[in-house]
Amino acid sequence: MVSVIIPAFNRVEYIKETIQSVLDQNYPNIEIIAVDDGSSDGTYDVLKRFSDEKTITLLSHDNRENKGQSAALNVGLRAASGELLAILDSDDLFAPTKIAEQVEFLEADPSFDMVYGNGLAVDRYGNPLFYTLPENHTETGDPARVLVDCYVAIPGGALIRRTLIEKVGFFEESFRAAQDHDMAIRLFEAGKVGYLPTVAFHYRKHEDSISQKGLERRWSTGFEVLRRAQKRYPYPSRIIRKRAAVLNFRLGQTYWRESRRIIAVPLLVKSAMLDPLRALKVLLGRERVV
């Protein structure tokens, strides 16, 4: 059994296609658990129709309260009955063979606790934009690599053994951003992770996506994610500095784009001091900044 958890908040434009991408999988033993997080745009009504047809299990918080994505995910994870767990954002899509391929990988080698694949970014209409990982991407299993650069998409890209989730714990509900990075780090710290170089999911890029909103909150939360990781696992000091440099740079970059230059400049300077080599590469145009 594979349990697919779909947290949903105000995604009426995409949610039907998202669920259909799971129903269309070429793997037979799947349960779909959608958790509505207090939607007000008709998303809940769409989910209710699927639920009435017995194709999904629909859950929500008491009084259909909005508690954030982490809380919604945890509701779904607690209700899941599968030995293998997958998460899909409510505006993304599974590739047709995603689950079958990843189940086969985990069954072939029980030493792996998790496997993930590549993502294809698409626009709001489904037109392809770019791959989320390079063609030559390989997986070393080093959590320090994930700490510095969260390249693993826990929503969409991965299939995780229930035993690993039970080992690391649920999503941090106090985080309203960066909870995916926090979870990825913990999974890598505790389990053996593999990579399948095939497209596992389609990641939708649009102006209203969570990843485009609340950048200040995301990078600010990143400092707490880093603090907890440093306390939990023996990362080398150079790795901690590199991640701190990234966070200072990204937060400074966010403020700069908002014309909040007085706040931005000290953060950018601190980033350069923490990781001067990377700062030099950025200035010389040898490292792309997006």
Side-chain angles (χ1 to χ4, degrees):
M1 169 74 77
V2 174
S3 298
V4 179
I5 316 300
I6 303 176
F9 175 69
N10 287 353
R11 284 288 182 262
V12 69
E13 184 178 353
Y14 305 113
I15 188 63
K16 183 177 180 181
E17 189 179 0
T18 294
I19 291 175
Q20 195 62 49
S21 76
V22 185
L23 295 174
D24 290 342
Q25 291 292 298
N26 66 335
Y27 183 82
N29 199 10
I30 299 174
E31 69 169 359
I32 304 172
I33 301 174
V35 185
D36 183 76
D37 191 29
S39 297
S40 58
D41 68 340
T43 296
Y44 182 84
D45 297 326
V46 175
L47 294 173
K48 185 67 167 59
R49 286 196 290 272
F50 278 107
S51 176
D52 290 344
E53 295 167 359
K54 309 297 183 185
T55 53
I56 71 169
T57 297
L58 174 58
L59 304 174
S60 61
H61 306 298
D62 291 343
N63 301 316
R64 294 200 47 230
E65 185 180 353
N66 173 259
K67 293 188 175 182
Q69 189 181 63
S70 291
L73 283 167
N74 289 343
V75 167
L77 289 170
R78 290 187 181 98
S81 58
E83 295 178 10
L84 301 174
L85 306 171
I87 294 167
L88 182 61
D89 277 346
S90 55
D91 51 357
D92 293 342
L93 307 166
F94 277 164
T97 59
K98 186 261 192 199
I99 291 179
E101 290 176 349
Q102 293 185 342
V103 168
E104 183 180 8
F105 180 95
L106 291 177
E107 286 190 337
D109 191 341
S111 70
F112 283 95
D113 302 292
M114 171 179 143
V115 62
Y116 69 96
N118 208 341
L120 175 63
V122 299
D123 65 16
R124 66 184 308 132
Y125 305 108
N127 300 311
L129 298 173
F130 56 85
Y131 293 103
T132 60
L133 294 170
E135 187 176 354
N136 62 351
H137 177 76
T138 58
E139 182 50 63
T140 64
D142 184 2
R145 188 177 169 204
V146 179
L147 177 65
V148 173
D149 176 19
C150 188
Y151 55 86
V152 180
I154 297 305
L159 187 65
I160 310 165
R161 294 193 194 276
R162 170 187 289 278
T163 51
L164 182 57
I165 290 288
E166 290 172 346
K167 188 174 182 180
V168 305
F170 290 156
F171 284 84
E172 176 53 65
E173 295 188 14
S174 67
F175 294 165
R176 286 293 189 117
Q179 66 274 356
D180 51 347
H181 189 199
D182 174 67
M183 176 58 83
I185 296 166
R186 288 188 278 136
L187 292 170
F188 269 72
E189 289 171 354
K192 182 180 178 181
V193 179
Y195 172 64
L196 267 175
T198 56
V199 173
F201 76 117
H202 294 177
Y203 162 56
R204 204 184 297 269
K205 296 272 290 181
H206 55 92
E207 290 182 358
D208 196 41
S209 64
I210 293 174
S211 58
Q212 295 297 314
K213 289 183 172 182
L215 289 176
E216 179 181 357
R217 176 184 288 177
R218 180 173 184 83
W219 301 122
S220 296
T221 303
F223 287 101
E224 177 61 17
V225 172
L226 177 60
R227 187 193 69 79
R228 295 187 186 193
Q230 185 178 9
K231 185 177 180 180
R232 188 176 57 237
Y233 193 87
Y235 291 102
S237 57
R238 62 180 178 81
I239 294 298
I240 300 300
R241 287 197 307 272
K242 280 181 174 292
R243 183 57 186 171
V246 170
L247 292 170
N248 278 279
F249 179 81
R250 291 302 189 189
L251 189 56
Q253 184 184 47
T254 299
Y255 288 138
W256 186 273
R257 288 172 174 170
E258 295 173 352
S259 298
R260 299 163 72 180
R261 306 294 165 82
I262 294 176
I263 307 175
V265 170
L267 293 167
L268 296 172
V269 170
K270 186 174 182 179
S271 174
M273 293 174 65
L274 287 165
D275 193 352
L277 181 59
R278 181 175 185 270
L280 182 61
K281 288 180 180 179
V282 170
L283 288 173
L284 294 176
R286 294 179 182 173
E287 185 164 330
R288 183 168 172 259
V289 177
V290 294

